[in-house]
Amino acid sequence: MRIIETIAEMRKLRRQSGLVCLVPTMGSLHQGHRRLIEAAAERGGLTVVSIFVNPLQFGLGEDYDLYPRDLAQDVAASRAAGADVVFAPAVSEIYPPGSEATRIELGPITQVLCGRTRPIHFSGVATVVAKLFHIVEPNFAFFGAKDAQQVAVIRRMVRDLNFDVDLVRVPTVREANGLACSSRNRYLTDQERERAGALRRALTAAQGLYARGERRQAALIAQVSAILKTADITPEYVEVRSWDGLTSLGDTLDESPALLALAAWMGKARLIDNVLLGADREEQAAVRDQSGEGPVARGQSVQRRG
Ligand code: AMP
C-alpha cells in the first residue's frame, strides 16, 4: 500500500489507473470507516482512502485542534481493510495561502438540520470533497449513511456541478448498544456511551410506528423525544425532512422517502443519527445513490469509466 502526500503524485497515479474508488475521511479510523474501505475494495480497481482533517468544515470554537489524529494507526487500519493508497496531504497542500476564500456554496440544503448550528460546515465539506474529486477523479466515492445531510449535500453538488462520479452510500456501522461508530465517541465517558444507545432506540421506535401506519410527523417526533427523555437526553433537533433535498414536509407524511434525523450533545460529544422512514426505503435509497438516476433493478451494472 502506498502513502501519498502530494497532489502531483496522486494525479500521476490516477492517470496510470483504470477504475478508482475514493473513501474520503478525516482519519481516526473506526469500524464505520473500515466498512466503507471494504466496500470500495470490493468494487475493484484502485482503492484510495483520503485522510485529511479539513479546517474549512470546523466552526469557531469547534474541535479542530482537539480532533484525534494518528496517521500511523490510520495507515495500518486502511491497509487491513484493503486500501491500495492512503492520500494524506498537509493542510498547505490542499489550501495554499490565498486559496481559502474559494468555496462551494449550495444554499438552503446546508442551512437546515445540522447546518442551523454549524452554518459553514457543509460548505467546507463540499469544498474539500470537490477538491478531492478533482485530484483523485474517482469513478466511485463512498460515504456513510450516518452523515445523511453530508450525503444529500454531496449528491446535490455532484448533480449541479456535473461531477462524473457515482456515489455509494454505505449503511451505518454501530457499537453493540446501537450507538453509531464515530471518531467523536472517544470524547464520551463510559456512562455517556451507554446512555447514547437511546438515540438509536428512539429512531427505530419511530421507524416502527411509521411501519405500523403512523404518518403524523408530530407523533413520530414525540416518540423519539419520549425515549430520549428516559435517557435524560435533550436533543438539539429531531426532524423529518425529504430524503433527497432535505426540504420540509407536510404535517402528515405521504409515501415518498423521508429522513428522520437527530443531533444531541452528550458531554463533550455532539452525536448525530438518522433513519429512513419506510421499511424498504433504505435499500431503495442505496440503489438509487449508486445509479444517481432514480430506482434501478438490484444488481444492475452502474459501471462507467475505467
Ligand atoms: P469522517 O472521518 O467522520 O469525516 O467520516 C468519513 C466517512 O466515514 C463519512 O462518509 C462518514 O459518513 C463515514 N462514517 C463515519 N461514521 C460511520 C459509521 N458509523 N458507519 C458508516 N460510515 C461512517
Side-chain angles (χ1 to χ4, degrees):
M1 198 193 65
R2 278 175 69 171
I3 301 168
I4 295 182
E5 293 181 350
T6 66
I7 294 170
E9 197 185 338
M10 188 63 241
R11 280 196 199 287
K12 189 168 167 219
L13 179 62
R14 203 285 160 249
R15 280 197 295 272
Q16 295 163 356
S17 308
L19 185 80
V20 173
C21 292
L22 173 66
V23 182
T25 83
M26 297 205 301
S28 184
L29 301 184
H30 51 63
Q31 292 303 316
H33 298 113
R34 187 185 171 102
R35 186 66 204 101
L36 263 64
I37 300 168
E38 286 169 352
E42 280 161 22
R43 174 64 71 181
L46 188 79
T47 300
V48 180
V49 177
S50 64
I51 296 182
F52 182 68
V53 183
N54 175 34
L56 246 53
Q57 70 190 67
F58 289 79
L60 270 183
E62 290 188 358
D63 56 346
Y64 177 68
D65 292 328
L66 284 179
Y67 200 84
R69 292 163 172 87
D70 187 340
L71 186 60
Q73 206 173 306
D74 289 340
V75 164
S78 300
R79 184 185 288 117
D84 300 303
V85 177
V86 164
F87 177 50
V91 172
S92 57
E93 180 76 0
I94 295 295
Y95 301 116
S99 71
E100 325 78 42
T102 301
R103 305 274 169 113
I104 304 271
E105 296 289 349
L106 291 111
I109 196 170
T110 65
Q111 298 306 307
V112 298
L113 301 175
C114 292
R116 217 169 284 133
T117 50
R118 307 188 74 195
I120 62 146
H121 175 70
F122 291 105
S123 168
V125 169
T127 302
V128 79
V129 171
K131 286 166 84 79
L132 290 168
F133 283 177
H134 285 309
I135 295 164
V136 180
E137 292 185 44
N139 303 84
F140 294 94
F142 294 72
F143 292 90
K146 183 193 70 144
D147 297 87
Q149 189 169 9
Q150 172 166 283
V151 174
V153 165
I154 301 300
R155 188 193 301 123
R156 171 62 58 83
M157 180 185 80
V158 163
R159 273 188 207 155
D160 292 353
L161 296 180
N162 308 98
F163 280 91
D164 189 13
V165 58
D166 284 324
L167 304 182
V168 181
R169 177 175 158 284
V170 178
T172 302
V173 177
R174 300 176 179 284
E175 299 188 2
N177 71 349
L179 173 63
C181 297
S182 165
S183 307
R184 291 187 168 104
N185 289 354
R186 68 181 63 192
Y187 301 155
L188 298 170
T189 64
D190 289 347
Q191 202 239 2
E192 286 164 350
R193 194 178 275 248
E194 199 181 307
R195 273 172 50 221
L199 301 179
R200 174 68 173 164
R201 283 203 304 282
L203 290 169
T204 50
Q207 202 176 31
L209 259 190
Y210 181 94
R212 292 194 295 280
E214 180 60 80
R215 292 293 180 270
R216 291 168 303 160
Q217 272 203 53
L220 296 164
I221 289 171
Q223 170 76 291
V224 174
S225 303
I227 293 177
L228 295 184
K229 202 165 172 207
T230 63
D232 206 16
I233 297 172
T234 309
E236 184 183 291
Y237 67 78
V238 181
E239 277 189 56
V240 180
R241 294 206 158 248
S242 69
W243 168 78
D244 191 35
L246 306 184
T247 52
S248 54
L249 298 169
D251 294 342
T252 304
L253 303 178
D254 61 20
E255 299 307 307
S256 49
L259 179 78
L260 172 58
L262 59 75
W265 279 93
M266 299 276 303
K268 294 194 181 93
R270 184 174 177 282
L271 305 176
I272 57 171
D273 206 344
N274 67 83
V275 285
L276 289 175
L277 294 178
D280 56 349
R281 300 277 190 238
E282 183 118 3
E283 189 136 293
Q284 285 181 18
V287 172
R288 198 180 276 123
D289 266 1
Q290 289 186 28
S291 73
E293 293 166 357
V296 292
R298 271 172 68 70
Q300 179 175 324
S301 170
V302 291
Q303 194 113 340
R304 290 161 61 178
R305 285 194 312 253

